[in-house]
Amino acid sequence: MNRSYRLLWAGQALSTAGFSGSMIAFPLLVLAITGSPAVSGFVLGVDAAAQLLAGLPAGALVDRWNRKIVMLCCEAAQGIVVASLVVALVLGDATVPHMIFVAATMGVCRALFLPAENAAVAQIVTQEQLSTAVAMNSARGALGQLTGTAAGGFLYAIGRAVPFAVEVLTHLISFVALLFVKVPHRRPEKVESSDLAKEMVEGLRFVWRQRHVRATVACAVSLNFFFSAYYVVLVVLAKERDVPSGEIGIMAAMLGVGGLLGALLAPTLQKVISPFLSIAGVFWVLTVLTPLAVFIDNGYLLGLLFAGMALLPPTANTTIATSQLLLTPERLHGRMTSVMAVISGVSAAAGPALGGVLVQQFGGSDAILLCAAGIAVVTVVVTVSPTMRAFPVTDRVKEPTP
């Protein structure tokens, strides 16, 4: 990989770690200040809601603007608002409205940064390097989340402002690294009108008209929906079976460990496994492994089960994301990424709600089997789908004529 990609990767690895650490500390901070779990959950929810609401317009704006400048502005904005929180904590003036503002700003910045970065990566690396870059970005996300999550609680124990001060530092380093990233010049899309809604609709229409993109979106969203529900059910079931909290934490962490190992293996696996097999394999592995949790009451064994589930998804995600970037005209890269992010975000938000309802209505073991049954149905659809079976090899994907 070239120097620009390495700088971008390293800067975002630090930024992700800093953000993950503060996201562990944020609800603890709100709870300590307000004493209300409901307010703590609400503030954290503002971040996710802002990212979802800003998602579609963010993609259209990224396609209008210079992608490197968008990334620089996002890093600067995040650093500034988190620094304001650090100052407020040091002075003892932190308030709920201030924390809501910080959370909302962070969500909007991430909604803008993701499509800008994806579009920039497609410009920075060659077509032959794109799948490796996508896989390395996945590994970076898993690594940053693991390290940040592990450090967040420890830093908060040192002092309330410490994890947020560390996040400010990571955004500063990432900002400096971005200054030296060379993104090839692109001619901005000519905007015939200021109608942002039409540009957003254009992105939605493009995703809908590409049958491979449409099919993978439907299958991936369905899988994320049921697996998000399954995750919540499994945590509740572990509590019901008196699994120690420490073991539950390790169980959750092993999902990240498996994802990190899978991301590191993805470039190699993608070369020896057909696109259809890499995608269908994820569904079949989950179909086989998810029901096993009914018979396991040990947190460490559940962690190994999670790690096994997380090994193959990075390879499938690399295959799908690379194909989407190569298939999508460069002028629509931002909108395509934002559409995918919004759809995935809605699915991830709705899944846990389903998990809670299933546990309440049917109990832990039956809820696991119901989630597993949902995954199995999606697996059958993927397996027999002509569109999925004909999924194109990435080096044969060509950008459609506008």
Side-chain angles (χ1 to χ4, degrees):
M1 291 294 177
N2 59 48
R3 179 173 176 268
S4 287
Y5 177 78
R6 292 197 302 270
L7 284 170
L8 178 61
W9 190 96
Q12 285 310 298
L14 280 175
S15 184
T16 301
F19 171 77
S20 297
S22 69
M23 283 298 101
I24 292 295
F26 217 157
L28 298 176
L29 174 65
V30 179
L31 188 60
I33 291 176
T34 66
S36 170
V39 174
S40 179
F42 173 76
V43 172
L44 205 60
V46 166
D47 175 84
Q51 188 173 5
L52 281 177
L53 290 173
L56 292 180
L61 291 172
V62 163
D63 284 335
R64 285 184 179 187
W65 298 338
N66 182 294
R67 277 99 186 239
K68 179 177 176 177
I69 292 177
V70 170
M71 292 189 288
L72 285 168
C73 290
C74 287
E75 285 292 356
Q78 290 178 93
I80 290 169
V81 296
V82 178
S84 74
L85 180 59
V86 172
V87 172
L89 288 171
V90 171
L91 298 177
D93 292 332
T95 63
V96 172
H98 185 184
M99 289 185 285
I100 290 174
F101 172 74
V102 172
T105 303
M106 298 292 284
V108 171
C109 285
R110 290 206 315 285
L112 283 163
F113 193 97
L114 177 61
E117 184 193 16
N118 278 4
V121 167
Q123 293 177 268
I124 292 171
V125 303
T126 65
Q127 180 171 318
E128 292 73 22
Q129 295 173 325
L130 186 57
S131 61
T132 301
V134 170
M136 291 304 296
N137 280 3
S138 179
R140 180 195 71 195
L143 179 62
Q145 186 173 16
L146 275 175
T147 55
T149 301
F154 172 75
L155 294 173
Y156 184 79
I158 296 175
R160 289 182 180 178
V162 175
F164 304 101
V166 170
E167 184 184 1
V168 172
L169 179 61
T170 62
H171 286 304
L172 176 60
I173 295 173
S174 179
F175 180 88
V176 173
L178 275 169
L179 289 174
F180 297 95
V181 172
K182 295 181 179 179
V183 180
H185 176 74
R186 61 181 286 270
R187 183 177 298 174
E189 180 180 352
K190 292 182 179 179
V191 181
E192 297 179 358
S193 70
S194 59
D195 194 342
L196 194 64
K198 287 184 178 179
E199 296 171 43
M200 291 159 55
V201 169
E202 184 183 6
L204 288 167
R205 283 177 176 169
F206 175 81
V207 171
W208 178 254
R209 288 172 179 170
Q210 305 302 318
R211 62 189 184 95
H212 287 105
V213 175
R214 187 172 65 240
T216 52
V217 166
C219 294
V221 165
S222 301
L223 182 65
N224 288 340
F225 177 69
F226 286 114
F227 187 78
S228 297
Y230 175 83
Y231 180 85
V232 171
V233 171
L234 202 55
V235 171
V236 173
L237 184 61
K239 277 291 186 183
E240 288 180 353
R241 294 178 176 177
D242 296 321
V243 175
S245 298
E247 290 187 21
I248 293 177
I250 291 174
M251 175 188 78
M254 289 300 289
L255 190 63
V257 171
L260 176 59
L261 292 175
L264 295 175
L265 289 171
T268 300
L269 291 178
Q270 195 189 29
K271 294 176 182 177
V272 298
I273 300 177
S274 70
F276 170 70
L277 185 58
S278 72
I279 296 170
V282 173
F283 291 83
W284 278 106
V285 167
L286 289 176
T287 297
V288 172
L289 294 183
T290 47
L292 298 182
V294 172
F295 310 103
I296 302 175
D297 57 5
N298 179 282
Y300 301 114
L301 293 178
L302 288 172
L304 289 175
L305 188 68
F306 264 166
M309 293 175 183
L311 276 175
L312 285 182
T315 301
N317 291 339
T318 298
T319 298
I320 293 169
T322 304
S323 175
Q324 289 169 351
L325 283 171
L326 293 176
L327 180 69
T328 305
E330 196 275 337
R331 67 185 188 83
L332 290 172
H333 275 171
R335 276 166 281 185
M336 184 275 294
T337 300
S338 67
V339 169
M340 303 301 290
V342 168
I343 293 173
S344 298
V346 171
S347 173
L354 172 67
V357 171
L358 290 177
V359 170
Q360 185 172 335
Q361 295 295 323
F362 301 100
S365 296
D366 288 344
I368 281 180
L369 293 176
L370 287 170
C371 291
I375 291 172
V377 170
V378 180
T379 299
V380 172
V381 173
V382 170
T383 303
V384 302
S385 167
T387 300
M388 297 303 294
R389 296 181 73 88
F391 198 91
V393 178
T394 53
D395 60 6
R396 297 175 190 168
V397 174
K398 294 182 179 180
E399 182 179 299
T401 302

